[in-house]
């Protein structure tokens, strides 16, 4: 069964172009005094490179050493910089409290059981300043595909959480959030926007209120 480390070892730079809304977010961040940004689950660094190039001070955090090595290589080639850490998002993040102006996390936090997702959300809250931004994207549960080869054979392990038994991400937990759950999980935040992006992921843009 693959895990993200094996996926990156096999596929290398799997994601290259930044999320479609990253330019808009960079403008919003800039006009609201954001300086320091954490990319939680940064993978091979597409957003580290984009945001560093845009002049922000960026930190990246991911559990895949291979992905982080690829991110460092990318940044070096472009003479960009980022503070990069290996670690697991369900454990304490290697950052002090209230040190980031924004945390982004693109297609990451759903890769756990709910009790671990709640630990991750607590850590996001801890490292983010009051008034800081989050931009989080998560997949939604679509209809069962018509072509059997595209069927991930999702095995439900708890309410809303499935482990695919087939496909490129087999063995990796996927929690499919409902809109209500996102409101509940991020209840310490004022939700500014919640919408579907062009890759069928639900996006949450919010500000930490207390
Ligand atoms: C779909 S990829 C997205 C990568 C990156 N955010 C991007 O948009 O290019 C999911 C990422 O989450 C990371 N990840 C999965 N489980 C993790 C965990 N428990 N702790 C930290 N990172 C994790 C993977 O290593 C992978 O880089």
């Amino acid at each position: 069964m693959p895990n993200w480390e094996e996926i990156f070892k096999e596929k290398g730079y799997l994601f290259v172009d930044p999320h479609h809304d990253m330019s808009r977010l960079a403008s919003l961040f800039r006009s609201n005094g954001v300086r320091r940004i954490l990319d939680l689950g940064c993978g091979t660094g597409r957003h580290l490179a984009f945001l560093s190039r845009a002049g922000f001070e960026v930190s990246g955090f991911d559990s895949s050493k291979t992905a982080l090595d690829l991110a460092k290589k990318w940044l070096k080639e472009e003479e960009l910089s980022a503070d990069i850490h290996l670690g697991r998002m369900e454990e304490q993040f290697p950052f002090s409290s209230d040190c980031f102006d924004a945390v982004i996390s693109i297609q990451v936090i759903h890769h756990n059981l709910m009790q671990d997702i709640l630990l991750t959300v607590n850590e996001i809250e801890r490292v983010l300043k009051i008034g800081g931004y989050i931009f989080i994207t998560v997949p939604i549960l679509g209809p069962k595909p018509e072509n059997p080869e595209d069927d991930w054979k999702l095995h439900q392990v708890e309410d809303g959480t499935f482990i695919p038994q087939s496909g490129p991400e087999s063995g990796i937990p996927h929690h499919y959030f409902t809109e209500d759950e996102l409101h509940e999980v991020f209840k310490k935040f004022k939700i500014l926007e919640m919408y579907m992006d062009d890759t069928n992921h639900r996006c949450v843009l919010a500000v930490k209120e207390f």
Side-chain angles (χ1 to χ4, degrees), residues 3-5 8 14-19 39-47 61-65 67-68 74 85-91 93 104-112 116 120 137 169 172-174 201:
N3 55 39
W4 278 104
E5 177 64 6
F8 287 122
L14 189 55
F15 307 98
V16 180
D17 295 328
H19 186 279
D39 183 0
L40 174 64
C42 59
T44 56
R46 61 178 172 154
H47 300 114
F61 179 45
D62 201 284
S63 59
S64 165
K65 182 175 181 313
L68 295 183
W74 182 346
H85 297 261
L86 180 69
R88 298 198 60 85
M89 63 181 163
E90 61 276 15
E91 295 171 4
F93 296 179
I104 65 160
S105 190
I106 313 300
Q107 299 170 218
V108 177
I109 69 159
H110 62 288
H111 284 310
N112 254 328
D116 286 332
T120 300
T137 81
E169 297 183 23
I172 300 176
H174 287 62
H201 287 76

Side-chain angles (χ1 to χ4, degrees), residues 3 7 28 31 48 55 65 68-69 94 105 140 173 177 190 207:
N3 55 39
I7 293 173
L28 173 80
S31 53
L48 296 178
K65 182 175 181 313
L68 295 183
D69 287 344
S105 190
I140 57 156
F177 288 90
K190 178 179 180 200
V207 169

Side-chain angles (χ1 to χ4, degrees), residues 20-172:
H20 228 142
D21 295 336
M22 212 41 71
S23 297
R24 178 175 75 91
L25 289 169
S27 302
L28 173 80
F29 291 164
R30 201 173 290 114
S31 53
N32 285 280
V34 167
R35 249 181 358 100
R36 213 175 155 203
I37 304 176
L38 170 63
D39 183 0
L40 174 64
C42 59
T44 56
R46 61 178 172 154
H47 300 114
L48 296 178
F50 181 88
L51 293 168
S52 171
R53 213 182 288 124
F56 295 99
E57 205 181 306
V58 283
S59 296
F61 179 45
D62 201 284
S63 59
S64 165
K65 182 175 181 313
T66 298
L68 295 183
D69 287 344
L70 289 167
K72 286 177 192 162
K73 183 166 173 278
W74 182 346
L75 291 162
K76 193 169 174 211
E77 279 168 7
E78 283 204 46
E79 297 184 3
L80 298 168
S81 67
D83 161 50
I84 288 183
H85 297 261
L86 180 69
R88 298 198 60 85
M89 63 181 163
E90 61 276 15
E91 295 171 4
Q92 188 174 11
F93 296 179
F95 307 104
S96 52
S97 301
D98 308 320
C99 71
F100 289 104
D101 303 302
V103 176
I104 65 160
S105 190
I106 313 300
Q107 299 170 218
V108 177
I109 69 159
H110 62 288
H111 284 310
N112 254 328
L113 302 182
M114 189 39 99
Q115 65 177 41
D116 286 332
I117 291 173
L118 294 176
L119 297 175
T120 300
V121 172
N122 274 342
E123 281 298 283
I124 292 174
E125 285 166 10
R126 183 183 66 77
V127 300
L128 189 63
K129 293 175 187 166
I130 290 179
Y133 288 88
I134 55 168
F135 181 70
I136 311 275
T137 81
V138 288
I140 57 156
L141 185 57
K144 204 173 160 76
E146 281 170 23
N147 182 351
E149 284 187 10
D150 297 332
D151 184 357
W152 283 16
K153 300 190 175 61
L154 294 177
H155 170 66
Q156 185 159 6
V157 290
E158 65 179 15
D159 200 16
T161 310
F162 299 79
I163 299 187
Q165 305 299 299
S166 176
E169 297 183 23
S170 69
I172 300 176

